[in-house]
Amino acid sequence: MYRYIGNKSKLLDYIIGKTKDIIGKSGTVADIMAGTGMVSLEYRKNGYNVIASDMMTYSKCHLITNLLNSKSPEFKNLTSLKIAGMSMYESILAYLNNLEGTEGYFYNEFSPEGIPNNGYPPRKYFTSKNAKKIDAIRQELENWIQNKKINSNEEAVLKHTLIMAVNKVANISGTYGYFLSKFTKNSIEDIFLEPQEFCNIGSTNNKVMQGFAEDVAKNIKADLCYIDPPYTKRQYAANYHILETIARGDNPIAQGKSGLRDWWDQHSKFCTKTRIRDSFKKVIKDMDCPCFLISYSEDGLLSINELVDFLEQFGETTVSTIDYKRFRSNQSELPNKIQEYIIELYK
Ligand SMILES: C[S@@+](CC[C@H](N)C(=O)[O-])C[C@H]1O[C@@H](n2cnc3c(N)ncnc32)[C@H](O)[C@@H]1O
């Protein structure tokens, strides 16, 4: 499973149930902090048209794969790679899985045999063998993009597939904020691109966007908007920097001991106590939408009372409380159970 801070895979039934109670079984739903895309996908499966967005590029890859496809893409310009008995997608993954590793950016910046550019000691996010394989796959994808061998949908599907494989072998405890000193059992396995499932339920008449919720809100018209903001100061751009680099296909300067890319352009105001209210205000005011479902948590920067007191100026609110299993990194000593809240706001 995708270990993503705030991932709502366990609350899907609840969110869909609430949505059905409010707008019925059809309509347009926006999910403007969509992350892994699990909530958006569930909306699609339940018959809604979905407008999904997030500020992160890797999220866009997940959203395109889950919302705009109902089967694997055709890869029309790569038919020379077709293997008998396999689909084009499977043939391409077989080809990429068989590439010879190369000593590129991931090898140098994120593996123990590499020599980081900034003079810091080698990092251990991946075994050297896996880092070389990731480099080879990234280079081939960039080559295909430059030479117009794959279109933007095919690019997103292949990057989504690579990210899911990378998540399985990353030597981390939950997020990419730092690497572990000893390689874990999973991280010494060879990286392997596995065909991902494509949803054939519901429509592909969905829209995927990328950007700050505060900016995209004015371009959205929906019957209901689900908002799942960050709850704490932990910035997604810092905690998932490696996935962002895979999605962007660039080679940024890897800074400090942990090798983070410069992520200031994706700094979220929802992670700061002083800016979060203005950001909520902009989203709620600017969007053409009568109703918002907002996830929040006991762990949040604001208490539930502070948040509800603030939201009441925009319309009627009700709060439901759900007991939820906390996202924990392996060493965390925080209690296992936590209360999650769903706020309904009618403008
Ligand atoms: C709690 S997570 C959402 C998880 C998602 N519901 C899921 O199930 O995977 C919060 C998301 O908000 C995004 N985010 C944070 N600040 C944002 C902003 N200002 N605009 C758009 N997205 C933002 C993060 O990139 C992250 O993916």
Side-chain angles (χ1 to χ4, degrees):
M1 198 177 79
Y2 203 141
R3 299 191 69 203
Y4 194 65
I5 309 172
N7 165 354
K8 290 299 175 299
S9 53
K10 298 208 176 79
L11 285 187
L12 293 176
D13 288 349
Y14 193 89
I15 295 164
I16 299 295
K18 272 272 173 229
T19 303
K20 282 187 181 157
D21 290 347
I22 300 168
I23 62 165
K25 289 185 178 164
S26 61
T28 300
V29 172
D31 178 12
I32 54 167
M33 300 204 189
T36 62
M38 286 299 104
V39 177
S40 286
L41 177 60
E42 201 62 21
Y43 273 131
R44 170 184 171 182
K45 287 181 181 169
N46 278 274
Y48 297 100
N49 292 323
V50 189
I51 301 172
S53 184
D54 195 283
M55 63 179 182
M56 301 305 296
T57 318
Y58 58 80
S59 176
K60 191 174 173 191
C61 298
H62 304 320
L63 294 172
I64 290 175
T65 305
N66 285 326
L67 298 180
L68 304 187
N69 290 278
S70 47
K71 57 182 174 43
S72 60
E74 291 181 9
F75 297 99
K76 279 188 183 146
N77 293 331
L78 287 173
T79 46
S80 59
L81 299 179
K82 176 90 170 74
I83 299 170
M86 285 188 183
S87 70
M88 270 309 298
Y89 176 50
E90 289 164 343
S91 304
I92 285 167
L93 297 191
Y95 167 80
L96 292 172
N97 278 325
N98 282 323
L99 286 176
E100 188 76 29
T102 56
E103 296 182 5
Y105 175 82
F106 268 60
Y107 171 81
N108 277 313
E109 297 295 350
F110 302 134
S111 89
E113 287 171 25
I115 304 172
N117 218 356
N118 66 1
Y120 273 96
R123 307 180 181 105
K124 288 168 103 177
Y125 284 103
F126 303 101
T127 61
S128 303
K129 187 176 176 199
N130 280 339
K132 281 196 233 175
K133 192 49 109 34
I134 297 169
D135 277 324
I137 295 171
R138 270 171 35 97
Q139 280 164 21
E140 191 63 307
L141 294 188
E142 283 314 302
N143 173 24
W144 288 344
I145 295 163
Q146 294 304 322
N147 293 306
K148 303 206 172 358
K149 297 277 188 193
I150 51 177
N151 61 32
S152 56
N153 181 51
E154 292 162 346
E155 173 189 344
V157 166
L158 292 177
K159 287 182 172 173
H160 164 78
T161 311
L162 176 57
I163 288 170
M164 299 313 274
V166 162
N167 279 339
K168 285 197 172 167
V169 297
N171 186 39
I172 55 172
S173 95
T175 80
Y176 291 83
Y178 207 69
F179 51 87
L180 298 170
S181 52
K182 266 195 189 163
F183 278 109
T184 58
K185 198 163 158 268
N186 288 343
S187 66
I188 54 177
E189 296 287 321
D190 286 350
I191 187 166
F192 187 74
L193 302 178
E194 285 173 279
Q196 300 296 302
E197 272 182 33
F198 292 89
C199 172
N200 59 8
I201 307 167
S203 126
T204 52
N205 187 18
N206 303 309
K207 194 167 175 186
V208 172
M209 298 157 96
Q210 183 187 359
F212 287 116
E214 299 92 314
D215 299 331
V216 301
K218 61 179 176 300
N219 302 321
I220 295 177
K221 180 172 165 47
D223 299 308
L224 177 142
C225 174
Y226 175 62
I227 309 183
D228 188 15
Y231 306 147
T232 69
K233 287 185 189 157
R234 299 177 81 183
Q235 293 278 351
Y236 283 78
N239 278 290
Y240 297 97
H241 62 107
I242 285 185
L243 305 186
E244 185 63 15
T245 296
I246 291 173
R248 289 202 204 183
D250 59 0
N251 301 314
I253 293 169
Q255 298 171 337
K257 266 189 173 175
S258 50
L260 266 60
R261 60 182 298 133
D262 179 357
W263 52 270
W264 191 248
D265 58 335
Q266 286 166 311
H267 169 272
S268 174
K269 295 187 178 114
F270 283 87
C271 298
T272 71
K273 217 170 169 173
T274 48
R275 316 289 286 277
I276 184 171
R277 288 182 178 84
D278 284 347
S279 288
F280 265 123
K281 182 175 176 183
K282 189 141 188 19
V283 169
I284 294 163
K285 287 228 152 194
D286 285 1
M287 195 182 297
D288 183 353
C289 180
C291 171
F292 295 82
L293 268 191
I294 303 168
S295 275
Y296 214 61
S297 150
E298 196 187 338
D299 266 354
L301 281 177
L302 300 181
S303 71
I304 188 66
N305 290 341
E306 282 173 324
L307 182 57
V308 171
D309 282 352
F310 169 73
L311 292 173
E312 272 172 347
Q313 67 181 292
F314 305 110
E316 201 183 304
T317 60
T318 48
V319 182
S320 316
T321 306
I322 313 149
D323 279 329
Y324 188 68
K325 199 164 171 285
R326 186 193 294 269
F327 173 96
R328 295 195 306 175
S329 59
N330 294 345
Q331 291 93 7
S332 172
E333 285 167 8
L334 291 168
N336 209 1
K337 278 268 170 67
I338 184 169
Q339 292 203 313
E340 283 270 331
Y341 305 107
I342 299 269
I343 305 166
E344 292 163 53
L345 167 65
Y346 300 90
K347 241 188 349 185

